Amino acid sequence: DTAVSQTPKYLVTQMGNDKSIKCEQNLGHDTMYWYKQDSKKFLKIMFSYNNKELIINETVPNRFSPKSPDKAHLNLHINSLELGDSAVYFCASSPVGTSGAYNEQFFGPGTRLTVL
Amino acid sequence: SQQGEEDPQALSIQEGENATMNCSYKTSINNLQWYRQNSGRGLVHLILIRSNEREKHSGRLRVTLDTSKKSSSLLITASRAADTASYFCATDEGSYIPTFGRGTSLIVHP
């Protein structure tokens, strides 16, 4: 019944490693997002995918790459992890409004990434 | 880019009191949304208010929007300990770009 799921929930790794976070939604939504929430709870959008196409890409390092094998999945790959990548990463999905404005977003439970 | 800013950053009240938090933004919007985040959890959508609406209710929640002042408020009436959470406003830029503020941390003491 979980609408938006993420795995893993916790990820502890060493600097320089490559890791992936998976996200799946069963809501049939057209758009999926990745957010980064820092220790001060500031939530910053990283990527958005609409119908398997990247439609926005905030100025994140190219070490981060979203990959969407199908409309229900948007995975986040991170290469050469750095200390500053430590944060909580949230996946979300939403239907697209007919006016083009975005609608209610459904968030996953988050993945807490700790880089040592 | 446009960003909603919540005020106050932190709010501490007693159970039964009302809690009011505000959100200000910089440019025109299509809609504004409020979300709640419990500790260690993802965000949960509370209310969406469109730019042509002035007030919306949902249970104990009341949201107002003043587009002339570019501000919104979220009122939680008769608060409960379970309302303890962080509350975020999110605004759009007329596209698919949702922008969140830093949130208001609400603590409701039993």
Side-chain angles (χ1 to χ4, degrees), chain B residues 21-84:
Chain B
M21 48 207 94
N22 305 295
C23 170
S24 60
Y25 56 93
K26 296 176 183 174
T27 63
S28 61
I29 58 173
N30 291 310
N31 66 54
L32 184 145
Q33 303 185 36
W34 284 92
Y35 288 80
R36 183 187 74 233
Q37 183 180 31
N38 289 87
S39 179
R41 302 287 187 93
L43 280 73
V44 174
H45 181 264
L46 296 175
I47 289 183
L48 180 153
I49 186 165
R50 303 198 184 280
S51 59
N52 61 354
E53 296 175 313
R54 291 296 166 259
E55 188 170 309
K56 253 187 143 172
H57 296 255
S58 177
R60 293 182 297 110
L61 306 180
R62 181 173 80 106
V63 168
T64 61
L65 179 64
D66 187 334
T67 53
S68 67
K69 295 181 178 178
K70 294 185 172 56
S71 68
S72 173
S73 67
L74 170 66
L75 168 67
I76 305 174
T77 59
S79 63
R80 304 167 182 167
D83 295 327
T84 294

Short mmCIF file of all heavy atoms in Angstrom, two decimals, chain B residues 21-84:
data_model
loop_
_atom_site.label_atom_id
_atom_site.label_comp_id
_atom_site.label_asym_id
_atom_site.label_seq_id
_atom_site.Cartn_x
_atom_site.Cartn_y
_atom_site.Cartn_z
N MET B 21 1.47 30.15 12.06
CA MET B 21 2.75 30.32 11.40
C MET B 21 2.52 30.97 10.04
O MET B 21 1.47 30.82 9.44
CB MET B 21 3.51 29.00 11.29
CG MET B 21 2.74 27.85 10.77
SD MET B 21 3.41 26.28 11.39
CE MET B 21 2.38 26.01 12.82
N ASN B 22 3.51 31.72 9.61
CA ASN B 22 3.37 32.52 8.42
C ASN B 22 4.39 32.14 7.36
O ASN B 22 5.45 31.59 7.66
CB ASN B 22 3.55 34.01 8.77
CG ASN B 22 2.59 34.44 9.85
OD1 ASN B 22 1.39 34.45 9.66
ND2 ASN B 22 3.13 34.78 11.01
N CYS B 23 4.03 32.46 6.13
CA CYS B 23 4.91 32.18 5.00
C CYS B 23 4.90 33.40 4.08
O CYS B 23 3.83 33.91 3.74
CB CYS B 23 4.41 30.94 4.25
SG CYS B 23 5.23 30.62 2.67
N SER B 24 6.06 33.87 3.69
CA SER B 24 6.14 34.98 2.74
C SER B 24 6.90 34.51 1.51
O SER B 24 7.77 33.64 1.58
CB SER B 24 6.85 36.18 3.37
OG SER B 24 8.16 35.83 3.77
N TYR B 25 6.54 35.06 0.36
CA TYR B 25 7.20 34.70 -0.88
C TYR B 25 7.44 35.96 -1.70
O TYR B 25 7.02 37.05 -1.30
CB TYR B 25 6.36 33.68 -1.67
CG TYR B 25 4.96 34.11 -1.97
CD1 TYR B 25 4.63 34.75 -3.15
CD2 TYR B 25 3.94 33.87 -1.05
CE1 TYR B 25 3.33 35.15 -3.42
CE2 TYR B 25 2.64 34.26 -1.30
CZ TYR B 25 2.34 34.91 -2.49
OH TYR B 25 1.05 35.30 -2.75
N LYS B 26 8.13 35.82 -2.83
CA LYS B 26 8.63 37.02 -3.51
C LYS B 26 7.92 37.37 -4.81
O LYS B 26 7.80 38.55 -5.15
CB LYS B 26 10.13 36.86 -3.75
CG LYS B 26 10.93 36.78 -2.47
CD LYS B 26 12.40 36.52 -2.74
CE LYS B 26 13.16 36.37 -1.43
NZ LYS B 26 14.56 35.97 -1.66
N THR B 27 7.52 36.37 -5.58
CA THR B 27 6.90 36.70 -6.87
C THR B 27 5.53 36.05 -6.97
O THR B 27 5.07 35.39 -6.05
CB THR B 27 7.79 36.24 -8.03
OG1 THR B 27 7.91 34.82 -7.98
CG2 THR B 27 9.17 36.87 -7.95
N SER B 28 4.87 36.24 -8.09
CA SER B 28 3.51 35.71 -8.24
C SER B 28 3.53 34.18 -8.28
O SER B 28 4.51 33.57 -8.69
CB SER B 28 2.87 36.26 -9.51
OG SER B 28 3.62 35.87 -10.64
N ILE B 29 2.44 33.61 -7.82
CA ILE B 29 2.34 32.15 -7.74
C ILE B 29 1.02 31.67 -8.33
O ILE B 29 0.08 32.45 -8.49
CB ILE B 29 2.42 31.66 -6.27
CG1 ILE B 29 1.31 32.32 -5.44
CG2 ILE B 29 3.79 31.96 -5.68
CD1 ILE B 29 1.19 31.78 -4.04
N ASN B 30 0.97 30.39 -8.68
CA ASN B 30 -0.28 29.75 -9.06
C ASN B 30 -0.97 29.16 -7.84
O ASN B 30 -2.18 29.20 -7.72
CB ASN B 30 -0.05 28.64 -10.08
CG ASN B 30 0.38 29.20 -11.42
OD1 ASN B 30 -0.25 30.10 -11.95
ND2 ASN B 30 1.47 28.68 -11.95
N ASN B 31 -0.16 28.58 -6.98
CA ASN B 31 -0.70 28.04 -5.74
C ASN B 31 0.36 28.00 -4.66
O ASN B 31 1.55 28.18 -4.92
CB ASN B 31 -1.32 26.66 -5.96
CG ASN B 31 -0.30 25.60 -6.35
OD1 ASN B 31 0.69 25.42 -5.64
ND2 ASN B 31 -0.54 24.90 -7.44
N LEU B 32 -0.11 27.81 -3.44
CA LEU B 32 0.78 27.69 -2.29
C LEU B 32 0.30 26.50 -1.49
O LEU B 32 -0.91 26.28 -1.34
CB LEU B 32 0.74 28.97 -1.45
CG LEU B 32 1.68 29.06 -0.24
CD1 LEU B 32 2.16 30.49 -0.05
CD2 LEU B 32 1.01 28.54 1.01
N GLN B 33 1.26 25.73 -1.00
CA GLN B 33 0.90 24.53 -0.26
C GLN B 33 1.57 24.52 1.10
O GLN B 33 2.65 25.07 1.27
CB GLN B 33 1.31 23.28 -1.03
CG GLN B 33 0.72 23.23 -2.43
CD GLN B 33 1.03 21.94 -3.15
OE1 GLN B 33 1.07 20.88 -2.55
NE2 GLN B 33 1.23 22.04 -4.45
N TRP B 34 0.93 23.88 2.04
CA TRP B 34 1.50 23.66 3.37
C TRP B 34 1.69 22.16 3.58
O TRP B 34 0.82 21.35 3.23
CB TRP B 34 0.60 24.22 4.47
CG TRP B 34 0.66 25.71 4.57
CD1 TRP B 34 -0.13 26.63 3.95
CD2 TRP B 34 1.59 26.47 5.37
NE1 TRP B 34 0.24 27.91 4.30
CE2 TRP B 34 1.29 27.84 5.17
CE3 TRP B 34 2.63 26.14 6.23
CZ2 TRP B 34 2.00 28.87 5.80
CZ3 TRP B 34 3.33 27.16 6.86
CH2 TRP B 34 3.03 28.50 6.65
N TYR B 35 2.86 21.83 4.17
CA TYR B 35 3.19 20.44 4.46
C TYR B 35 3.61 20.32 5.92
O TYR B 35 4.09 21.28 6.53
CB TYR B 35 4.37 19.97 3.59
CG TYR B 35 4.05 19.76 2.13
CD1 TYR B 35 3.98 20.85 1.25
CD2 TYR B 35 3.83 18.48 1.62
CE1 TYR B 35 3.68 20.66 -0.09
CE2 TYR B 35 3.55 18.29 0.27
CZ TYR B 35 3.47 19.38 -0.57
OH TYR B 35 3.20 19.18 -1.90
N ARG B 36 3.45 19.12 6.45
CA ARG B 36 3.92 18.80 7.79
C ARG B 36 4.98 17.71 7.71
O ARG B 36 4.87 16.79 6.89
CB ARG B 36 2.76 18.31 8.67
CG ARG B 36 3.17 18.01 10.12
CD ARG B 36 2.04 17.37 10.90
NE ARG B 36 1.85 15.99 10.51
CZ ARG B 36 0.68 15.50 10.13
NH1 ARG B 36 -0.39 16.26 10.11
NH2 ARG B 36 0.59 14.22 9.79
N GLN B 37 6.00 17.83 8.55
CA GLN B 37 7.03 16.81 8.61
C GLN B 37 7.24 16.42 10.06
O GLN B 37 7.72 17.22 10.87
CB GLN B 37 8.35 17.28 8.00
CG GLN B 37 9.42 16.19 7.98
CD GLN B 37 10.74 16.65 7.38
OE1 GLN B 37 11.11 17.82 7.48
NE2 GLN B 37 11.46 15.74 6.75
N ASN B 38 6.88 15.19 10.38
CA ASN B 38 7.19 14.66 11.70
C ASN B 38 8.65 14.24 11.73
O ASN B 38 9.24 13.92 10.69
CB ASN B 38 6.27 13.48 12.03
CG ASN B 38 4.85 13.92 12.27
OD1 ASN B 38 4.06 14.03 11.33
ND2 ASN B 38 4.52 14.22 13.50
N SER B 39 9.22 14.23 12.90
CA SER B 39 10.64 13.92 13.05
C SER B 39 10.98 12.58 12.41
O SER B 39 10.35 11.56 12.69
CB SER B 39 11.00 13.90 14.54
OG SER B 39 12.37 13.59 14.71
N GLY B 40 11.97 12.59 11.54
CA GLY B 40 12.42 11.36 10.92
C GLY B 40 11.52 10.83 9.82
O GLY B 40 11.70 9.70 9.36
N ARG B 41 10.58 11.64 9.37
CA ARG B 41 9.63 11.18 8.35
C ARG B 41 9.66 12.09 7.12
O ARG B 41 10.29 13.15 7.13
CB ARG B 41 8.21 11.19 8.92
CG ARG B 41 8.02 10.33 10.15
CD ARG B 41 8.03 8.85 9.80
NE ARG B 41 7.69 8.02 10.94
CZ ARG B 41 6.46 7.59 11.21
NH1 ARG B 41 5.47 7.95 10.43
NH2 ARG B 41 6.25 6.83 12.24
N GLY B 42 8.97 11.65 6.09
CA GLY B 42 8.80 12.49 4.91
C GLY B 42 7.72 13.53 5.13
O GLY B 42 7.03 13.53 6.13
N LEU B 43 7.60 14.45 4.18
CA LEU B 43 6.60 15.51 4.30
C LEU B 43 5.23 14.97 3.90
O LEU B 43 5.10 14.13 3.01
CB LEU B 43 6.96 16.69 3.39
CG LEU B 43 8.01 17.65 3.93
CD1 LEU B 43 9.39 17.05 3.91
CD2 LEU B 43 7.98 18.95 3.13
N VAL B 44 4.22 15.51 4.57
CA VAL B 44 2.84 15.13 4.30
C VAL B 44 2.07 16.38 3.91
O VAL B 44 2.13 17.40 4.60
CB VAL B 44 2.18 14.47 5.53
CG1 VAL B 44 0.70 14.21 5.27
CG2 VAL B 44 2.90 13.17 5.88
N HIS B 45 1.36 16.30 2.80
CA HIS B 45 0.61 17.44 2.30
C HIS B 45 -0.57 17.75 3.22
O HIS B 45 -1.30 16.85 3.64
CB HIS B 45 0.12 17.13 0.89
CG HIS B 45 -0.65 18.25 0.27
ND1 HIS B 45 -2.03 18.32 0.29
CD2 HIS B 45 -0.23 19.36 -0.39
CE1 HIS B 45 -2.41 19.41 -0.34
NE2 HIS B 45 -1.35 20.05 -0.77
N LEU B 46 -0.77 19.04 3.53
CA LEU B 46 -1.89 19.47 4.36
C LEU B 46 -2.96 20.16 3.54
O LEU B 46 -4.11 19.74 3.51
CB LEU B 46 -1.39 20.40 5.48
CG LEU B 46 -0.43 19.81 6.50
CD1 LEU B 46 0.04 20.89 7.45
CD2 LEU B 46 -1.07 18.65 7.24
N ILE B 47 -2.59 21.26 2.93
CA ILE B 47 -3.58 22.08 2.20
C ILE B 47 -2.91 22.73 0.99
O ILE B 47 -1.76 23.17 1.07
CB ILE B 47 -4.18 23.18 3.11
CG1 ILE B 47 -5.12 22.58 4.16
CG2 ILE B 47 -4.95 24.21 2.29
CD1 ILE B 47 -5.80 23.62 5.03
N LEU B 48 -3.64 22.82 -0.10
CA LEU B 48 -3.23 23.61 -1.26
C LEU B 48 -4.23 24.75 -1.41
O LEU B 48 -5.44 24.53 -1.39
CB LEU B 48 -3.23 22.73 -2.52
CG LEU B 48 -2.83 23.39 -3.85
CD1 LEU B 48 -2.26 22.34 -4.81
CD2 LEU B 48 -3.99 24.11 -4.54
N ILE B 49 -3.72 25.95 -1.55
CA ILE B 49 -4.59 27.11 -1.77
C ILE B 49 -4.15 27.78 -3.06
O ILE B 49 -2.95 28.01 -3.29
CB ILE B 49 -4.57 28.08 -0.55
CG1 ILE B 49 -5.60 29.20 -0.76
CG2 ILE B 49 -3.18 28.64 -0.29
CD1 ILE B 49 -5.91 29.97 0.53
N ARG B 50 -5.10 28.05 -3.94
CA ARG B 50 -4.78 28.64 -5.24
C ARG B 50 -4.74 30.16 -5.13
O ARG B 50 -5.29 30.75 -4.20
CB ARG B 50 -5.80 28.18 -6.29
CG ARG B 50 -5.86 26.68 -6.40
CD ARG B 50 -6.50 26.19 -7.67
NE ARG B 50 -6.62 24.73 -7.65
CZ ARG B 50 -5.61 23.90 -7.93
NH1 ARG B 50 -4.43 24.37 -8.26
NH2 ARG B 50 -5.80 22.60 -7.89
N SER B 51 -4.13 30.77 -6.08
CA SER B 51 -3.89 32.21 -6.02
C SER B 51 -5.19 33.02 -6.02
O SER B 51 -5.20 34.16 -5.56
CB SER B 51 -3.00 32.66 -7.18
OG SER B 51 -3.61 32.34 -8.41
N ASN B 52 -6.29 32.44 -6.52
CA ASN B 52 -7.56 33.16 -6.53
C ASN B 52 -8.42 32.85 -5.30
O ASN B 52 -9.58 33.28 -5.22
CB ASN B 52 -8.35 32.86 -7.80
CG ASN B 52 -8.68 31.39 -7.94
OD1 ASN B 52 -8.24 30.57 -7.14
ND2 ASN B 52 -9.47 31.06 -8.95
N GLU B 53 -7.85 32.12 -4.36
CA GLU B 53 -8.56 31.80 -3.12
C GLU B 53 -7.96 32.61 -1.98
O GLU B 53 -6.77 32.93 -1.98
CB GLU B 53 -8.46 30.30 -2.81
CG GLU B 53 -9.13 29.43 -3.86
CD GLU B 53 -8.92 27.94 -3.60
OE1 GLU B 53 -7.75 27.55 -3.32
OE2 GLU B 53 -9.90 27.19 -3.68
N ARG B 54 -8.79 32.92 -0.98
CA ARG B 54 -8.31 33.73 0.14
C ARG B 54 -8.21 32.92 1.43
O ARG B 54 -7.44 33.24 2.32
CB ARG B 54 -9.24 34.93 0.35
CG ARG B 54 -9.15 35.93 -0.77
CD ARG B 54 -7.75 36.55 -0.85
NE ARG B 54 -7.54 37.28 -2.09
CZ ARG B 54 -6.86 36.79 -3.12
NH1 ARG B 54 -6.33 35.57 -3.06
NH2 ARG B 54 -6.69 37.51 -4.22
N GLU B 55 -9.05 31.88 1.52
CA GLU B 55 -9.05 31.11 2.76
C GLU B 55 -9.49 29.69 2.45
O GLU B 55 -10.33 29.46 1.58
CB GLU B 55 -10.03 31.74 3.76
CG GLU B 55 -9.98 31.16 5.15
CD GLU B 55 -10.78 32.00 6.14
OE1 GLU B 55 -10.56 33.23 6.19
OE2 GLU B 55 -11.62 31.42 6.85
N LYS B 56 -8.89 28.74 3.22
CA LYS B 56 -9.29 27.35 3.08
C LYS B 56 -9.23 26.68 4.44
O LYS B 56 -8.36 26.99 5.25
CB LYS B 56 -8.37 26.63 2.09
CG LYS B 56 -9.00 26.33 0.75
CD LYS B 56 -8.12 25.49 -0.09
CE LYS B 56 -8.99 24.52 -0.86
NZ LYS B 56 -8.24 23.78 -1.86
N HIS B 57 -10.14 25.73 4.64
CA HIS B 57 -10.18 25.02 5.91
C HIS B 57 -10.04 23.52 5.67
O HIS B 57 -10.48 22.99 4.65
CB HIS B 57 -11.53 25.27 6.61
CG HIS B 57 -11.76 26.69 6.99
ND1 HIS B 57 -11.66 27.16 8.28
CD2 HIS B 57 -12.06 27.78 6.23
CE1 HIS B 57 -11.92 28.45 8.30
NE2 HIS B 57 -12.17 28.85 7.08
N SER B 58 -9.44 22.88 6.65
CA SER B 58 -9.40 21.42 6.65
C SER B 58 -9.30 20.97 8.09
O SER B 58 -8.24 21.05 8.71
CB SER B 58 -8.19 20.90 5.85
OG SER B 58 -8.12 19.49 5.92
N GLY B 59 -10.42 20.53 8.65
CA GLY B 59 -10.43 20.13 10.05
C GLY B 59 -10.04 21.28 10.96
O GLY B 59 -10.64 22.36 10.91
N ARG B 60 -8.99 21.11 11.74
CA ARG B 60 -8.53 22.17 12.65
C ARG B 60 -7.55 23.13 11.97
O ARG B 60 -6.99 24.01 12.63
CB ARG B 60 -7.86 21.53 13.86
CG ARG B 60 -8.81 20.75 14.76
CD ARG B 60 -8.09 20.16 15.99
NE ARG B 60 -7.09 19.19 15.65
CZ ARG B 60 -5.76 19.40 15.78
NH1 ARG B 60 -5.30 20.54 16.28
NH2 ARG B 60 -4.92 18.46 15.45
N LEU B 61 -7.34 22.97 10.70
CA LEU B 61 -6.41 23.81 9.97
C LEU B 61 -7.14 24.90 9.19
O LEU B 61 -8.17 24.63 8.58
CB LEU B 61 -5.57 22.98 8.99
CG LEU B 61 -4.83 21.78 9.55
CD1 LEU B 61 -4.05 21.09 8.42
CD2 LEU B 61 -3.89 22.19 10.67
N ARG B 62 -6.59 26.10 9.24
CA ARG B 62 -7.12 27.19 8.42
C ARG B 62 -5.94 27.88 7.76
O ARG B 62 -4.99 28.28 8.42
CB ARG B 62 -7.90 28.19 9.26
CG ARG B 62 -8.51 29.33 8.44
CD ARG B 62 -9.41 30.19 9.30
NE ARG B 62 -8.63 31.14 10.10
CZ ARG B 62 -8.54 32.45 9.88
NH1 ARG B 62 -9.17 32.96 8.84
NH2 ARG B 62 -7.84 33.24 10.67
N VAL B 63 -6.02 27.99 6.45
CA VAL B 63 -4.97 28.65 5.68
C VAL B 63 -5.55 29.89 5.02
O VAL B 63 -6.64 29.85 4.46
CB VAL B 63 -4.39 27.71 4.61
CG1 VAL B 63 -3.51 28.48 3.62
CG2 VAL B 63 -3.59 26.59 5.26
N THR B 64 -4.82 30.98 5.12
CA THR B 64 -5.21 32.20 4.41
C THR B 64 -4.12 32.58 3.44
O THR B 64 -2.94 32.21 3.61
CB THR B 64 -5.44 33.36 5.39
OG1 THR B 64 -4.22 33.62 6.10
CG2 THR B 64 -6.54 33.03 6.39
N LEU B 65 -4.50 33.29 2.41
CA LEU B 65 -3.55 33.75 1.40
C LEU B 65 -3.85 35.20 1.06
O LEU B 65 -4.99 35.54 0.74
CB LEU B 65 -3.65 32.88 0.14
CG LEU B 65 -2.74 33.26 -1.02
CD1 LEU B 65 -1.27 33.10 -0.64
CD2 LEU B 65 -3.06 32.44 -2.27
N ASP B 66 -2.84 36.03 1.15
CA ASP B 66 -2.96 37.44 0.78
C ASP B 66 -1.94 37.70 -0.33
O ASP B 66 -0.75 37.90 -0.07
CB ASP B 66 -2.68 38.32 2.00
CG ASP B 66 -2.95 39.79 1.74
OD1 ASP B 66 -2.88 40.21 0.55
OD2 ASP B 66 -3.20 40.54 2.69
N THR B 67 -2.41 37.67 -1.55
CA THR B 67 -1.48 37.83 -2.68
C THR B 67 -0.94 39.25 -2.78
O THR B 67 0.14 39.45 -3.33
CB THR B 67 -2.16 37.44 -4.01
OG1 THR B 67 -3.38 38.17 -4.13
CG2 THR B 67 -2.44 35.95 -4.05
N SER B 68 -1.66 40.23 -2.23
CA SER B 68 -1.15 41.60 -2.28
C SER B 68 0.06 41.75 -1.37
O SER B 68 0.97 42.54 -1.66
CB SER B 68 -2.25 42.59 -1.88
OG SER B 68 -2.60 42.43 -0.51
N LYS B 69 0.07 41.01 -0.29
CA LYS B 69 1.21 41.04 0.63
C LYS B 69 2.18 39.89 0.39
O LYS B 69 3.20 39.77 1.08
CB LYS B 69 0.72 40.99 2.08
CG LYS B 69 -0.10 42.19 2.51
CD LYS B 69 -0.54 42.07 3.96
CE LYS B 69 -1.33 43.32 4.39
NZ LYS B 69 -1.81 43.21 5.79
N LYS B 70 1.81 39.03 -0.54
CA LYS B 70 2.63 37.85 -0.84
C LYS B 70 2.91 37.06 0.44
O LYS B 70 4.08 36.79 0.80
CB LYS B 70 3.93 38.25 -1.54
CG LYS B 70 3.71 38.84 -2.93
CD LYS B 70 5.03 39.09 -3.63
CE LYS B 70 4.81 39.49 -5.08
NZ LYS B 70 3.93 40.66 -5.26
N SER B 71 1.84 36.74 1.12
CA SER B 71 2.01 36.00 2.37
C SER B 71 0.84 35.05 2.59
O SER B 71 -0.27 35.25 2.07
CB SER B 71 2.14 36.95 3.55
OG SER B 71 0.93 37.63 3.76
N SER B 72 1.09 34.04 3.40
CA SER B 72 0.08 33.06 3.76
C SER B 72 0.27 32.72 5.23
O SER B 72 1.37 32.85 5.77
CB SER B 72 0.24 31.79 2.92
OG SER B 72 -0.63 30.76 3.36
N SER B 73 -0.81 32.31 5.86
CA SER B 73 -0.70 31.88 7.25
C SER B 73 -1.40 30.54 7.42
O SER B 73 -2.38 30.24 6.73
CB SER B 73 -1.29 32.91 8.20
OG SER B 73 -2.68 32.99 8.02
N LEU B 74 -0.86 29.75 8.32
CA LEU B 74 -1.45 28.46 8.70
C LEU B 74 -1.81 28.54 10.17
O LEU B 74 -0.95 28.81 11.00
CB LEU B 74 -0.46 27.32 8.46
CG LEU B 74 -0.86 25.95 9.04
CD1 LEU B 74 -2.10 25.41 8.34
CD2 LEU B 74 0.30 24.96 8.92
N LEU B 75 -3.08 28.35 10.45
CA LEU B 75 -3.57 28.37 11.83
C LEU B 75 -3.99 26.96 12.21
O LEU B 75 -4.78 26.33 11.51
CB LEU B 75 -4.75 29.33 11.97
CG LEU B 75 -5.56 29.24 13.28
CD1 LEU B 75 -4.70 29.71 14.46
CD2 LEU B 75 -6.84 30.06 13.19
N ILE B 76 -3.46 26.47 13.31
CA ILE B 76 -3.89 25.18 13.87
C ILE B 76 -4.64 25.51 15.15
O ILE B 76 -4.07 26.07 16.10
CB ILE B 76 -2.69 24.27 14.18
CG1 ILE B 76 -1.83 24.06 12.93
CG2 ILE B 76 -3.17 22.92 14.72
CD1 ILE B 76 -0.54 23.29 13.20
N THR B 77 -5.91 25.19 15.19
CA THR B 77 -6.70 25.49 16.37
C THR B 77 -6.70 24.31 17.34
O THR B 77 -6.54 23.16 16.94
CB THR B 77 -8.15 25.82 15.99
OG1 THR B 77 -8.71 24.69 15.30
CG2 THR B 77 -8.22 27.04 15.08
N ALA B 78 -6.86 24.64 18.62
CA ALA B 78 -6.93 23.60 19.67
C ALA B 78 -5.84 22.56 19.48
O ALA B 78 -6.11 21.36 19.31
CB ALA B 78 -8.31 22.94 19.65
N SER B 79 -4.61 23.01 19.51
CA SER B 79 -3.48 22.14 19.19
C SER B 79 -3.39 20.95 20.15
O SER B 79 -3.83 21.00 21.31
CB SER B 79 -2.18 22.94 19.23
OG SER B 79 -1.94 23.43 20.52
N ARG B 80 -2.77 19.90 19.62
CA ARG B 80 -2.57 18.67 20.38
C ARG B 80 -1.09 18.33 20.36
O ARG B 80 -0.36 18.77 19.48
CB ARG B 80 -3.37 17.53 19.73
CG ARG B 80 -4.84 17.81 19.57
CD ARG B 80 -5.49 16.79 18.67
NE ARG B 80 -6.92 17.06 18.47
CZ ARG B 80 -7.67 16.48 17.55
NH1 ARG B 80 -7.15 15.58 16.74
NH2 ARG B 80 -8.95 16.79 17.44
N ALA B 81 -0.67 17.51 21.28
CA ALA B 81 0.73 17.09 21.31
C ALA B 81 1.14 16.44 19.99
O ALA B 81 2.28 16.58 19.53
CB ALA B 81 0.98 16.14 22.48
N ALA B 82 0.20 15.76 19.36
CA ALA B 82 0.49 15.08 18.08
C ALA B 82 0.72 16.06 16.94
O ALA B 82 1.19 15.66 15.86
CB ALA B 82 -0.67 14.15 17.72
N ASP B 83 0.42 17.33 17.15
CA ASP B 83 0.69 18.34 16.11
C ASP B 83 2.16 18.75 16.10
O ASP B 83 2.59 19.50 15.21
CB ASP B 83 -0.17 19.59 16.33
CG ASP B 83 -1.66 19.32 16.16
OD1 ASP B 83 -2.00 18.46 15.32
OD2 ASP B 83 -2.46 19.96 16.87
N THR B 84 2.92 18.31 17.08
CA THR B 84 4.34 18.62 17.14
C THR B 84 5.02 18.11 15.87
O THR B 84 4.98 16.92 15.57
CB THR B 84 5.00 17.97 18.38
OG1 THR B 84 4.45 18.57 19.55
CG2 THR B 84 6.50 18.12 18.35
#
